[in-house]
Amino acid sequence: HQNFSAGNNENSIEAHIGINGEANLDFLNIPLTIPEMTLPYTTLTTPQVKDFSLWEQTGLKDFLKTTKQSFDLSVKAQYKKNKDKHIIPIPFYAKDFQVLSIPNDIFIPAMGNITYDFSFKSGIITLNTNVGLYNQSDIVAYFLTSSSSVTDALQYKLEGTSSLTRKRGLKLATALSLSNKFVEGNHDSTISLTKKNMEASVTTSAEVQIPILRMKFKQELNGNTKSKPTVSSSIELMYDLNSTATGTINHKLNLESLTSYFYIESSTKGDIKGSVLSIEYSGTIASEASTYLNSKSTRSSVKLQGASKVDGIWN
């Protein structure tokens, strides 16, 4: 069953589509066979999988009960008109004749607000998506998509906003976030432009948790041109490969520049420890580098340190 509606009046334009019906999942009963394979560039082989049923052996049968599944789909789009108008003047010169009924200005309607909503519901999963673009004192874009399911791995939420401010220059701000059973992440960035200065900052963080890997990542980037162009960056990484290898990596970078000189410095630190076949190992590494350059001279320095240990083999 499906339905469709649309409308257009002095305030808005909108359309809606709705569909509901049934889906046949009998194909999940077809047994799968995957032959033994050798992984490229290794001597490792994957075991053969024979007569594997997605319906029987993944748990789908337990919570779906039947391969005949009903679903509902809904899509709605709307544009709210803006009463404001942009005025574009048209100069017109007539020396020897007169032209009647020629306007001096062209009026263009300002952009209005746009929204979009999507939803899908079935016995397996429910999906929702909302998108909006709003033209107010600031221009704002927004989206949100999420799912709910009897299976935790299929549940997620992804959200983002972006705004453009036009007061005292331009400022663009963006934020993103993702959450799931296995992955979480955030991103924030800001870019500001004025007549005297440009400034930018970016922060990104992520966390991964799966059976064989746990990882945390963070990156920060900042820059401005207030007194002199400067850029700084930092990266942090922590990981755990099921206790066979755990470690951290840290990297920092700073840069300064003027017409009279250029300076850059960076540092990296890392460590790792773990065990293989009951043999414990560990290692560290650290490096520092810098360069200064002007019209008269150049100075550079590099420092590198490292250490490693394997029980019973070397230290």
Side-chain angles (χ1 to χ4, degrees):
H1 177 71
Q2 62 182 13
N3 61 74
F4 172 79
S5 63
N8 182 9
N9 55 48
E10 64 178 0
N11 296 318
S12 64
I13 301 173
E14 60 182 51
H16 176 260
I17 299 174
I19 301 174
N20 57 69
E22 287 191 353
N24 191 336
L25 304 180
D26 284 341
F27 67 92
L28 295 175
N29 275 316
I30 301 174
L32 300 176
T33 298
I34 302 175
E36 181 182 88
M37 292 184 293
T38 301
L39 298 178
Y41 310 109
T42 72
T43 59
L44 301 176
T45 59
T46 61
Q48 181 188 34
V49 177
K50 188 175 181 180
D51 296 332
F52 182 83
S53 171
L54 292 172
W55 179 254
E56 296 281 347
Q57 294 172 263
T58 62
L60 290 175
K61 180 181 178 180
D62 296 330
F63 64 84
L64 293 182
K65 307 302 181 183
T66 175
T67 56
K68 303 296 188 293
Q69 296 294 314
S70 60
F71 69 90
D72 290 289
L73 173 69
S74 175
V75 179
K76 182 180 179 181
Q78 184 183 63
Y79 175 73
K80 289 189 176 181
K81 300 177 182 179
N82 194 332
K83 303 295 184 180
D84 296 335
K85 292 180 174 25
H86 298 297
I87 302 175
I88 301 178
I90 301 178
F92 189 85
Y93 303 97
K95 295 182 180 180
D96 301 327
F97 58 90
Q98 292 183 344
V99 179
L100 301 178
S101 302
I102 298 296
N104 294 324
D105 301 314
I106 293 178
F107 296 89
I108 299 177
M111 184 185 74
N113 298 332
I114 303 171
T115 58
Y116 170 84
D117 300 292
F118 169 87
S119 69
F120 175 83
K121 298 179 181 180
S122 71
I124 303 175
I125 194 171
T126 298
L127 299 173
N128 290 287
T129 299
N130 308 102
V131 180
L133 179 61
Y134 306 96
N135 181 24
Q136 298 167 347
S137 58
D138 300 334
I139 296 177
V140 178
Y142 169 81
F143 76 87
L144 169 65
T145 176
S146 62
S147 70
S148 59
S149 173
V150 291
T151 303
D152 291 342
L154 297 179
Q155 299 189 54
Y156 75 93
K157 180 180 179 181
L158 176 62
E159 186 174 12
T161 59
S162 184
S163 63
L164 179 63
T165 303
R166 294 165 287 184
K167 296 178 181 179
R168 297 185 297 277
L170 293 176
K171 181 178 179 180
L172 177 65
T174 301
L176 297 171
S177 66
L178 169 66
S179 61
N180 175 261
K181 179 180 179 180
F182 304 117
V183 180
E184 290 188 0
N186 292 279
H187 171 84
D188 294 281
S189 65
T190 303
I191 301 175
S192 301
L193 296 173
T194 64
K195 293 181 179 180
K196 297 182 179 180
N197 181 42
M198 180 180 73
E199 189 170 356
S201 66
V202 179
T203 302
T204 303
S205 62
E207 185 171 350
V208 177
Q209 291 193 16
I210 57 178
I212 63 171
L213 172 66
R214 288 182 296 171
M215 183 182 71
K216 291 183 179 181
F217 171 84
K218 184 177 182 180
Q219 181 186 34
E220 293 184 357
L221 177 65
N222 296 281
N224 66 75
T225 60
K226 289 181 179 179
S227 58
K228 54 188 175 183
T230 61
V231 175
S232 63
S233 171
S234 67
I235 296 175
E236 299 177 5
L237 175 66
M238 301 175 60
Y239 60 90
D240 184 344
L241 291 167
N242 203 23
S243 298
T244 59
T246 62
T248 62
I249 298 175
N250 294 275
H251 175 75
K252 293 183 178 181
L253 174 71
N254 293 294
L255 183 149
E256 295 179 6
S257 178
L258 281 176
T259 55
S260 59
Y261 78 93
F262 173 85
Y263 177 72
I264 183 172
E265 66 174 354
S266 68
S267 64
T268 303
K269 295 180 180 180
D271 64 77
I272 185 174
K273 64 179 179 179
S275 63
V276 176
L277 300 176
S278 300
I279 299 177
E280 295 186 355
Y281 65 90
S282 62
T284 61
I285 187 171
S287 68
E288 297 179 359
S290 65
T291 298
Y292 177 87
L293 173 67
N294 62 22
S295 60
K296 297 181 180 180
S297 64
T298 301
R299 299 194 304 269
S300 295
S301 65
V302 177
K303 182 180 179 181
L304 178 65
Q305 292 180 321
S308 62
K309 178 182 178 181
V310 178
D311 285 352
I313 300 179
W314 79 71
N315 185 359

